[in-house]
Amino acid sequence: MFETRNTAVRVKEMMVERLLQFCSLLSVFTTMAIIYILMSETWGFFQKVSLWEFLTDTQWTPLFTIKHFGIMPLLCGTMLTTVIALMVAVPTGLISAVYLSEYASASVRKIVKPILEVLAAVPTVVYGYFALLFVTPVLKKIFPDISGFNSLSAGLVMGIMIIPLVSSLSEDAMHAVPMRLREGAYAVGSQKIQVAFNIVLPAALSGISAAIILAVSRAIGETMIVAIAAGQQPHLTLNPLVPIETISAYIVQISLGDTPHGTLEYKTIFVCGMTLFMMTFFLNMMSFKLRKRFQEVYD
Amino acid sequence: MKPYFQEREKKMLVAAEQSKPSIKITDHIYAGNSANMRNGDTKIQVERFSFRYGANKVLKDVSLNVRAREVTSIIGPSGCGKSTLLRCFNRMNDLIAGTRADGNILIEGQDIYDPRVDVVELRKKVGMVFQKPNPFPKTIFDNIAYGLRINGIRQKSEIIQRVEQSLRDSALWEEVKDRLTDSGLSLSGGQQQRLCVARALAIQPEIVLMDEPASALDPIATAKLEELIVRLKEKYTIVIVTHNMQQAARISDKTAFLMQGEMVEFGVTKDIFTKPTKKITEEYITGRFG
């Protein structure tokens, strides 16, 4: 009575299942393939250049006659733009999150939050030119000896770009803090600002840290803005007014050039890619763990 | 001669009006009123008080007197407005948008819905314990010290002393004295609730409001909390909302029975439970509905 009369139906069911399975595994395979290629090329690179040289040399000149393969200048460039970006994004993002979560009425939040999130939807190339053609000239009025390419303007604009990342996730975390905690604080005679900063903010701290780490990860990996506005000169410097080069911008530079396949110069792309991947991977893991911990505390 | 004086008088009046500070409940209390207050004097006077959320009128012309150093319980079926009434005593309902209060609630003769009343000062005098234990995600010590710090107490020795005192008052000291730096969330439900009582007591309120404080606790923790409430009566005026009629009968001196936002009956607990004047009260307390 209950046997399937139509085997065609059964076959169709199976094929649909296989198709869905294939699609879901596609991204897993892609990730694995990327990691494989990164690792094999990186391995090839370290056959020629020692890990010690890579980590300690203070110059990065793979394209010059005298080649140096020290990741430090690129890492320093990346860190510089990232730190500047965070100095913009963390305070602004957190304050807007506090406002949206604790002060804004539901209707204001419903309008402002999506608008803020639009910031993240602007193509990064637009931000890059905004930094190069608008922010740098403005900065020139304040610092007359700033270079046309510099980490300051790239970092500032990148900071604006990642504000929504910080504010949106932090706001989610603060919004998830149960109302009864706020009530408890009000009941002992707290002012609104004390509730926001002494109770809600610390209670949402793990969610906020996750948001910040995610923003760091985004800033480290960000390519277009720094490639356009920060320059392409690997300098080991903390001066934000001079041209630098970030890891991501270097990858763009080499990838766009005519570096022959299989050469050591070519392999540097993958070493840089691997460095970036390891940094962002580690940060994303940390962020994931923190967010999970946050979810466990209140439910 | 006369116009001159009138002019001067007017000026003085204007000046006085302008320099009038917002009324602080504390000033009023420390002006000696509280010291003179004897057990049984009226502490909270509710006069034809109505309250609405938007168009929904949840309290209708409620009147009630809460006497000092007594336990007054408010009972009634779910949704009768008993929590709303309680949360009006420290204006906790201000946190909700679109509410409106009519009529008066006087605390020691002071209308707390007067626009000049500073709610922060009010809440320092009218503490609250909530339905679900809500310790802050801080250490046990800081849970209590927080209220002291925001109230301007900076001296470390005083904070330590008052934290200990309020933990003793809430019968929690013996259980937590060796683990004050543990998170408040690491305590059991009953301990968390007593921590919340300690937090409320630390800032030395005169009135403690309790919104179904035992509803999330097991019977043993409930018994401990009830014992605590009866003991707190010596120092504090307590208003407790409960859906547990036995609890109201056990611990309170006065009972108010609320239904659909209206005060059905209010009186001495023993009378309410043994010879209610209204039939509906009798039906409720005998469990025929609710």
Side-chain angles (χ1 to χ4, degrees):
Chain A
M1 189 181 180
F2 294 117
E3 310 92 58
T4 320
R5 265 163 247 160
N6 197 344
T7 42
V9 172
R10 225 173 355 172
V11 171
K12 213 170 103 191
E13 275 294 324
M14 205 182 69
M15 276 169 61
V16 168
E17 193 189 324
R18 286 279 168 274
L19 184 73
L20 296 177
Q21 203 173 38
F22 173 74
C23 288
S24 63
L25 287 178
L26 199 62
S27 67
V28 176
F29 284 136
T30 316
T31 312
M32 274 158 58
I34 289 174
I35 294 174
Y36 171 74
I37 292 172
L38 277 179
M39 279 174 47
S40 67
E41 297 288 340
T42 304
W43 177 254
F45 174 84
F46 282 119
Q47 298 302 102
K48 303 261 174 57
V49 180
S50 75
L51 183 64
W52 178 251
E53 188 193 340
F54 179 70
L55 292 177
T56 57
D57 198 325
T58 56
Q59 288 185 62
W60 179 261
T61 55
L63 304 179
F64 294 2
T65 353
I66 306 163
K67 294 185 194 310
H68 285 279
F69 297 98
I71 193 73
M72 292 290 268
L74 294 183
L75 207 56
C76 178
T78 298
M79 286 304 163
L80 195 56
T81 50
T82 302
V83 167
I84 294 169
L86 289 177
M87 276 166 23
V88 175
V90 171
T92 322
L94 278 187
I95 290 167
S96 19
V98 167
Y99 168 72
L100 286 176
S101 159
E102 303 303 305
Y103 288 84
S105 65
S107 51
V108 170
R109 179 167 49 239
K110 237 162 69 196
I111 299 165
V112 174
K113 213 182 166 193
I115 293 178
L116 204 63
E117 277 161 10
V118 165
L119 273 182
V122 176
T124 52
V125 65
V126 176
Y127 278 117
Y129 278 99
F130 176 66
L132 182 67
L133 302 176
F134 178 75
V135 178
T136 300
V138 170
L139 288 173
K140 202 153 202 138
K141 292 196 176 119
I142 308 164
F143 310 105
D145 49 353
I146 197 168
S147 313
F149 296 108
N150 59 78
S151 49
L152 184 58
S153 91
L156 291 178
V157 172
M158 193 153 80
I160 293 168
M161 182 191 76
I162 58 178
I163 286 172
L165 207 63
V166 177
S167 69
S168 193
L169 289 176
S170 303
E171 199 266 335
D172 288 345
M174 286 190 235
H175 206 69
V177 172
M179 193 59 198
R180 58 177 195 274
L181 273 191
R182 294 187 185 85
E183 289 181 341
Y186 280 119
V188 290
S190 301
Q191 311 273 2
K192 193 159 195 172
I193 191 161
Q194 292 167 329
V195 176
F197 285 93
N198 298 337
I199 302 296
V200 178
L201 202 73
L205 205 59
S206 48
I208 291 169
S209 327
I212 292 172
I213 291 170
L214 221 56
V216 174
S217 171
R218 181 86 170 79
I220 287 175
E222 170 50 36
T223 310
M224 225 20 139
I225 299 175
V226 286
I228 293 172
Q232 300 195 333
Q233 296 172 35
H235 276 150
L236 187 57
T237 176
L238 290 177
N239 182 356
L241 305 180
V242 298
I244 48 106
E245 182 160 44
T246 65
I247 301 175
S248 52
Y250 172 77
I251 296 175
V252 173
Q253 186 193 355
I254 298 294
S255 309
L256 296 178
D258 46 4
T259 317
H261 193 94
T263 59
L264 191 57
E265 292 87 323
Y266 174 80
K267 288 199 169 77
T268 57
I269 300 178
F270 294 94
V271 173
C272 288
M274 190 71 185
T275 313
L276 270 187
F277 174 73
M278 276 165 53
M279 287 164 78
T280 51
F281 180 73
F282 175 71
L283 289 169
N284 286 5
M285 288 286 284
M286 239 163 83
S287 165
F288 179 72
K289 277 212 168 132
L290 279 170
R291 256 183 302 170
K292 235 178 88 185
R293 205 183 78 187
F294 172 72
Q295 282 164 357
E296 281 162 11
V297 180
Y298 310 104
D299 44 14
Chain B
M1 211 58 181
K2 226 171 184 179
Y4 169 72
F5 270 106
Q6 275 176 351
E7 193 64 29
R8 206 175 142 210
E9 221 170 63
K10 222 164 106 189
K11 266 188 191 158
M12 280 166 67
L13 273 174
V14 168
E17 190 63 43
Q18 281 166 347
S19 67
K20 201 181 243 172
S22 65
I23 295 171
K24 287 192 174 171
I25 295 278
T26 41
D27 297 347
H28 187 72
I29 285 164
Y30 288 131
N33 210 336
S34 150
N36 300 336
M37 201 153 238
R38 286 188 309 267
N39 296 359
D41 283 357
T42 298
K43 192 80 174 177
I44 308 174
Q45 192 177 356
V46 184
E47 287 172 342
R48 297 182 62 91
F49 185 76
S50 299
F51 193 83
R52 52 183 103 205
Y53 297 114
N56 187 14
K57 201 167 183 181
V58 283
L59 291 175
K60 296 162 200 158
D61 273 347
V62 171
S63 296
L64 149 91
N65 274 338
V66 173
R67 292 179 186 281
R69 297 189 193 96
E70 279 188 359
V71 177
T72 303
S73 62
I74 306 174
I75 60 170
S78 304
C80 69
K82 54 193 192 297
S83 281
T84 301
L85 177 60
L86 189 77
R87 293 162 66 94
C88 284
F89 294 158
N90 64 348
R91 288 181 53 181
M92 213 45 149
N93 289 327
D94 287 16
L95 301 180
I96 303 161
T99 58
R100 208 185 116 188
D102 295 301
N104 297 318
I105 294 179
L106 309 175
I107 292 183
E108 295 189 357
Q110 182 90 68
D111 180 6
I112 61 166
Y113 273 92
D114 187 310
R116 286 170 302 181
V117 165
D118 180 352
V119 275
V120 169
E121 292 301 323
L122 169 68
R123 289 175 190 152
K124 287 175 188 172
K125 286 295 129 196
V126 187
M128 189 164 202
V129 176
F130 296 83
Q131 193 166 0
K132 245 179 141 180
N134 58 351
F136 304 132
K138 299 176 183 288
T139 64
I140 293 169
F141 184 88
D142 283 339
N143 256 284
I144 300 165
Y146 169 78
L148 300 171
R149 292 195 188 109
I150 62 160
N151 283 298
I153 298 167
R154 292 269 167 266
Q155 216 182 342
K156 221 169 169 190
S157 55
E158 192 183 352
I159 292 180
I160 291 170
Q161 185 256 321
R162 279 174 68 170
V163 167
E164 179 178 338
Q165 188 55 49
S166 44
L167 282 171
R168 282 187 191 283
D169 286 350
S170 66
L172 192 59
W173 176 253
E174 289 304 321
E175 290 158 65
V176 301
K177 63 180 177 191
D178 299 320
R179 46 187 289 209
L180 291 173
T181 53
D182 286 6
S183 166
L185 296 166
S186 70
L187 298 172
S188 72
Q191 289 173 324
Q192 285 190 13
Q193 196 61 301
R194 274 178 285 145
L195 179 64
C196 293
V197 173
R199 180 174 76 190
L201 300 184
I203 54 170
Q204 299 174 342
E206 311 234 327
I207 299 166
V208 180
L209 308 175
M210 298 189 172
D211 189 358
E212 301 193 24
S215 66
L217 305 184
D218 61 66
I220 294 170
T222 302
K224 273 191 173 174
L225 187 73
E226 286 182 5
E227 204 180 297
L228 170 62
I229 291 169
V230 173
R231 216 158 37 71
L232 289 177
K233 191 169 82 165
E234 291 167 19
K235 283 196 209 167
Y236 306 92
T237 304
I238 292 166
V239 186
I240 180 170
V241 161
T242 176
H243 58 216
N244 179 338
M245 279 169 287
Q246 285 77 25
Q247 187 171 64
R250 277 193 299 264
I251 63 175
S252 65
D253 302 297
K254 299 281 168 59
T255 297
F257 174 49
L258 224 61
M259 224 179 92
Q260 291 174 345
E262 284 177 70
M263 180 65 70
V264 178
E265 201 165 343
F266 172 60
V268 176
T269 299
K270 217 175 83 191
D271 296 344
I272 295 270
F273 281 91
T274 52
K275 40 181 187 204
T277 55
K278 300 235 171 70
K279 189 146 189 345
I280 193 144
T281 312
E282 189 189 332
E283 282 177 0
Y284 181 71
I285 57 171
T286 51
R288 245 169 278 171
F289 74 97

